[in-house]
Amino acid sequence: MDVTASAVVFVMALLPRLAGDPRIPPFDDLYHLKRIANFPHLLDFDPDRGAFCPWPPLYDFLLGSVHSLFGGVTWTAPLFLAACAAGVTWGMRRFGLLAALTAGLALAVSPYLIGVSAAGHIDHHYVEPLLVLLILVATVRRNGIWLGIAIAVALLVQPALFVAAGLAFVVLFLSSDAREGAKAFAIAAAVVIAYRLTRAAGYPDSAWFLGFPHAALLGGAAVACALRERVSRVTAFAGGVAVALSIRPTATAFFTGLHFFGGDPWLSSIVEFQPMFRHASEIGTDLANLTGGALLGLFLWRKQRTVAFFSTAYLLLAISSRRFLVPAIAVFAISGALAVASAHRRTFAIAAMAITLVPPIAFEVYAARTPEPSHEEFRVIGERMRALPPGRVLGPWSFGHAIDVIGRKPVVIDNFGSMPDEGTFTRAMEIMLSTREASLLRYCRHAYVRYLVLPHPAYIPATAATIGIPPELYSRTRLARRTVWSRLYDGERIAGFTRVSDGSIQVWQIE
C-alpha cells in the first residue's frame, strides 16, 4: 500500500506539470540555460553583463550535468517535483496512510509549485521547498551535522534560503540542544568561507552574493549556540552578534538584505515580491497556494512545536511577500499531514485532510480553463536582436535575459535588476525616462550602447516605479509624452536615433 500511494502521488504530480508550453520561459530560466551551456565550467563573472551572477553555482552545476548526460533539461523540474512528492509520501508513511497522502498530494497539486516546476521551467525555485524541508527535518531531529549540510547546500543554491537557517537558529538557540546548533552553523560557515575564497577578485560582499557576510552571520550563530550552555541567553546572543559584526560588510549586508522583506522599489514592482491578498481578484489564488496546511500548522504547537514555528513564521513571511510562498509550501504540506496524524478521530483526520487539499484541488480544476501567458513578445525581441549586427543594448530590465541569451547581445541591465549594481540599474532606468535626447545620446555613447529597445510607452510608469518614482507622475501628466522614449515610439524623428526594427517593440540604433 505504501508503494502504491507513492506511485499514485508521483503520477498525480507529474501529469499537470507536463501540460502547457514546454519551451524555456524567457526570464531567469534563460540565464540558467546560459550558465549550464558552459558546463563543466561555471559562468561566474559575465563579460556580457559586466557583472557577477548573484546565484551560487551548485544548482547550475547539477543541472549542467543533467544536460550533458541526457541532452536537455525540459523535463527535469516535473520529474524532480513528482519524485519529491512521492518521496515525501513514502517518508510520512509512519504517520498513517491519510497523513502520507495529505503531505504528498499537497506538494503535487499546489498551484505555485505546479507553475514553477512545469515542463520547460528550469529556474531554481522548484528545488527550494525540498531544501527548506531538509532544514526543517534536521532541526526537528536536532541533528547538527545534517542540519549544517542542509543549510550549506541550500545556500549554495539560493542565498535567500538563509531565512530557513535563521528559523533553525531560533529553535536550537532557545532549546536544550543548542550544542547541535553550534555544530550546524559552524559547518555551514566553513562551507561558505571555502566557497567565498574561491571567488575571483572583485566578487561583491553583499546580501545578494553568498560570501563573507553570510559566513559571519553563520559563525555568530555557532558561537551563540556554543555559549548558550555556559552563560545566559542574552550574553550568548551578544557574543554571537559580536562575532558576526567582526567582519566589516556584515552589518551593511544585513540591513540591505532586509529589503528582501520590503522597501526596495525594484523588488516591490515585481508580482512575486508583493504581499498576498493585495488584490481582491487574487484572494482565491492566494488561499489555494497556502493550502489549509498553513492554517492547521497553528494548532500543532503542543505536539510538534518546531513544525508549528516554521509553519507560522513562513505563513507570516508569505503573506508579506509571495517570494516566500514557494519554499513555504513544503512546510504547509507537512503541517497539514501532521494535523491529520494527530487527529483523535478518523472523522477529524478526514476533515483536516480536506482542509489541506480542497483549496488547491478546487483551484486547479478552475484554472485548467485559463491558458498560461506565452510571453511571446520577449522571445520575439530576442530573435530580432539576434539578426542585428553586434552591439550593446539598453532596454527595460525585464527584456534583459531574452536579449542576452536569445538575442546574443550584451545588455546594460537585465532581470537581475538592482542586485549586481544598484547604481548602474538606477542610472539606466533614469536615462530611459529622460526627456532630453542629448542626455540619452551622451549616456549611450559613454556606455557603448548601440541599440535602444523601446516597448509601448505604457511601460513608462512601471519603469519609473522600479527606482522609486511614483508611477502616477507619468501616468497622470504629460511627462510620459515628453520622454524621448515616447516621442521616438510615436514616430518623431530625432537626430542620432535610427529605427532598425518596427512593431509593438521597437529597436533603435544609436548613431
PDB file of all heavy atoms in Angstrom, residues 176-180 224-231 236:
ATOM      1  N   SER A 176      17.240  23.053  24.543  1.00  0.00           N
ATOM      2  CA  SER A 176      18.321  22.445  25.335  1.00  0.00           C
ATOM      3  C   SER A 176      19.358  21.771  24.443  1.00  0.00           C
ATOM      4  O   SER A 176      20.287  21.144  24.945  1.00  0.00           O
ATOM      5  CB  SER A 176      17.726  21.410  26.303  1.00  0.00           C
ATOM      6  OG  SER A 176      17.010  20.402  25.589  1.00  0.00           O
ATOM      7  N   ASP A 177      19.179  21.872  23.125  1.00  0.00           N
ATOM      8  CA  ASP A 177      20.099  21.232  22.171  1.00  0.00           C
ATOM      9  C   ASP A 177      20.905  22.268  21.401  1.00  0.00           C
ATOM     10  O   ASP A 177      21.225  22.069  20.224  1.00  0.00           O
ATOM     11  CB  ASP A 177      19.311  20.359  21.184  1.00  0.00           C
ATOM     12  CG  ASP A 177      18.579  19.227  21.881  1.00  0.00           C
ATOM     13  OD1 ASP A 177      19.255  18.374  22.481  1.00  0.00           O
ATOM     14  OD2 ASP A 177      17.338  19.210  21.825  1.00  0.00           O
ATOM     15  N   ALA A 178      21.247  23.361  22.065  1.00  0.00           N
ATOM     16  CA  ALA A 178      21.988  24.428  21.385  1.00  0.00           C
ATOM     17  C   ALA A 178      23.330  23.944  20.865  1.00  0.00           C
ATOM     18  O   ALA A 178      23.837  24.475  19.866  1.00  0.00           O
ATOM     19  CB  ALA A 178      22.183  25.608  22.336  1.00  0.00           C
ATOM     20  N   ARG A 179      23.922  22.949  21.500  1.00  0.00           N
ATOM     21  CA  ARG A 179      25.220  22.442  21.034  1.00  0.00           C
ATOM     22  C   ARG A 179      25.110  21.879  19.614  1.00  0.00           C
ATOM     23  O   ARG A 179      26.073  21.936  18.845  1.00  0.00           O
ATOM     24  CB  ARG A 179      25.751  21.377  21.978  1.00  0.00           C
ATOM     25  CG  ARG A 179      24.868  20.154  22.126  1.00  0.00           C
ATOM     26  CD  ARG A 179      25.414  19.191  23.169  1.00  0.00           C
ATOM     27  NE  ARG A 179      24.562  18.023  23.326  1.00  0.00           N
ATOM     28  CZ  ARG A 179      23.456  18.002  24.074  1.00  0.00           C
ATOM     29  NH1 ARG A 179      23.079  19.100  24.716  1.00  0.00           N
ATOM     30  NH2 ARG A 179      22.727  16.905  24.166  1.00  0.00           N
ATOM     31  N   GLU A 180      23.939  21.312  19.262  1.00  0.00           N
ATOM     32  CA  GLU A 180      23.747  20.830  17.892  1.00  0.00           C
ATOM     33  C   GLU A 180      23.707  22.006  16.927  1.00  0.00           C
ATOM     34  O   GLU A 180      24.165  21.907  15.788  1.00  0.00           O
ATOM     35  CB  GLU A 180      22.459  20.007  17.798  1.00  0.00           C
ATOM     36  CG  GLU A 180      22.487  18.719  18.591  1.00  0.00           C
ATOM     37  CD  GLU A 180      23.595  17.784  18.121  1.00  0.00           C
ATOM     38  OE1 GLU A 180      23.820  17.684  16.898  1.00  0.00           O
ATOM     39  OE2 GLU A 180      24.245  17.163  18.976  1.00  0.00           O
ATOM     40  N   ALA A 224      27.010  31.779  19.360  1.00  0.00           N
ATOM     41  CA  ALA A 224      25.896  31.992  20.283  1.00  0.00           C
ATOM     42  C   ALA A 224      25.371  30.670  20.823  1.00  0.00           C
ATOM     43  O   ALA A 224      25.090  30.539  22.027  1.00  0.00           O
ATOM     44  CB  ALA A 224      24.782  32.761  19.577  1.00  0.00           C
ATOM     45  N   CYS A 225      25.233  29.666  19.942  1.00  0.00           N
ATOM     46  CA  CYS A 225      24.755  28.353  20.382  1.00  0.00           C
ATOM     47  C   CYS A 225      25.782  27.670  21.289  1.00  0.00           C
ATOM     48  O   CYS A 225      25.415  27.001  22.264  1.00  0.00           O
ATOM     49  CB  CYS A 225      24.450  27.476  19.179  1.00  0.00           C
ATOM     50  SG  CYS A 225      22.953  27.949  18.263  1.00  0.00           S
ATOM     51  N   ALA A 226      27.071  27.842  20.977  1.00  0.00           N
ATOM     52  CA  ALA A 226      28.116  27.225  21.799  1.00  0.00           C
ATOM     53  C   ALA A 226      28.154  27.835  23.196  1.00  0.00           C
ATOM     54  O   ALA A 226      28.409  27.137  24.190  1.00  0.00           O
ATOM     55  CB  ALA A 226      29.467  27.376  21.115  1.00  0.00           C
ATOM     56  N   LEU A 227      27.897  29.135  23.300  1.00  0.00           N
ATOM     57  CA  LEU A 227      27.915  29.819  24.598  1.00  0.00           C
ATOM     58  C   LEU A 227      26.632  29.593  25.391  1.00  0.00           C
ATOM     59  O   LEU A 227      26.609  29.836  26.603  1.00  0.00           O
ATOM     60  CB  LEU A 227      28.116  31.320  24.395  1.00  0.00           C
ATOM     61  CG  LEU A 227      29.472  31.772  23.834  1.00  0.00           C
ATOM     62  CD1 LEU A 227      29.448  33.264  23.579  1.00  0.00           C
ATOM     63  CD2 LEU A 227      30.592  31.415  24.809  1.00  0.00           C
ATOM     64  N   ARG A 228      25.620  29.134  24.709  1.00  0.00           N
ATOM     65  CA  ARG A 228      24.292  29.043  25.325  1.00  0.00           C
ATOM     66  C   ARG A 228      24.277  28.209  26.598  1.00  0.00           C
ATOM     67  O   ARG A 228      23.556  28.530  27.560  1.00  0.00           O
ATOM     68  CB  ARG A 228      23.325  28.449  24.291  1.00  0.00           C
ATOM     69  CG  ARG A 228      21.939  28.131  24.788  1.00  0.00           C
ATOM     70  CD  ARG A 228      21.162  29.372  25.172  1.00  0.00           C
ATOM     71  NE  ARG A 228      19.865  28.989  25.670  1.00  0.00           N
ATOM     72  CZ  ARG A 228      19.627  28.563  26.907  1.00  0.00           C
ATOM     73  NH1 ARG A 228      20.610  28.486  27.782  1.00  0.00           N
ATOM     74  NH2 ARG A 228      18.402  28.226  27.276  1.00  0.00           N
ATOM     75  N   GLU A 229      25.063  27.132  26.666  1.00  0.00           N
ATOM     76  CA  GLU A 229      25.057  26.248  27.831  1.00  0.00           C
ATOM     77  C   GLU A 229      25.941  26.766  28.969  1.00  0.00           C
ATOM     78  O   GLU A 229      25.914  26.206  30.059  1.00  0.00           O
ATOM     79  CB  GLU A 229      25.508  24.851  27.422  1.00  0.00           C
ATOM     80  CG  GLU A 229      24.559  24.172  26.437  1.00  0.00           C
ATOM     81  CD  GLU A 229      25.005  22.767  26.083  1.00  0.00           C
ATOM     82  OE1 GLU A 229      26.115  22.383  26.497  1.00  0.00           O
ATOM     83  OE2 GLU A 229      24.243  22.057  25.417  1.00  0.00           O
ATOM     84  N   ARG A 230      26.696  27.803  28.708  1.00  0.00           N
ATOM     85  CA  ARG A 230      27.648  28.296  29.714  1.00  0.00           C
ATOM     86  C   ARG A 230      27.247  29.637  30.315  1.00  0.00           C
ATOM     87  O   ARG A 230      27.606  29.944  31.453  1.00  0.00           O
ATOM     88  CB  ARG A 230      29.046  28.404  29.104  1.00  0.00           C
ATOM     89  CG  ARG A 230      29.598  27.079  28.625  1.00  0.00           C
ATOM     90  CD  ARG A 230      30.943  27.287  27.918  1.00  0.00           C
ATOM     91  NE  ARG A 230      31.556  26.023  27.515  1.00  0.00           N
ATOM     92  CZ  ARG A 230      31.265  25.370  26.411  1.00  0.00           C
ATOM     93  NH1 ARG A 230      30.352  25.862  25.589  1.00  0.00           N
ATOM     94  NH2 ARG A 230      31.861  24.228  26.117  1.00  0.00           N
ATOM     95  N   VAL A 231      26.554  30.438  29.550  1.00  0.00           N
ATOM     96  CA  VAL A 231      26.178  31.776  30.016  1.00  0.00           C
ATOM     97  C   VAL A 231      24.697  31.994  29.730  1.00  0.00           C
ATOM     98  O   VAL A 231      24.017  31.154  29.146  1.00  0.00           O
ATOM     99  CB  VAL A 231      27.025  32.863  29.319  1.00  0.00           C
ATOM    100  CG1 VAL A 231      28.503  32.711  29.651  1.00  0.00           C
ATOM    101  CG2 VAL A 231      26.829  32.803  27.798  1.00  0.00           C
ATOM    102  N   ALA A 236      25.044  35.109  25.582  1.00  0.00           N
ATOM    103  CA  ALA A 236      25.384  34.240  24.457  1.00  0.00           C
ATOM    104  C   ALA A 236      25.027  34.909  23.129  1.00  0.00           C
ATOM    105  O   ALA A 236      25.815  34.888  22.172  1.00  0.00           O
ATOM    106  CB  ALA A 236      24.663  32.905  24.587  1.00  0.00           C
TER     107      ALA A 236
END
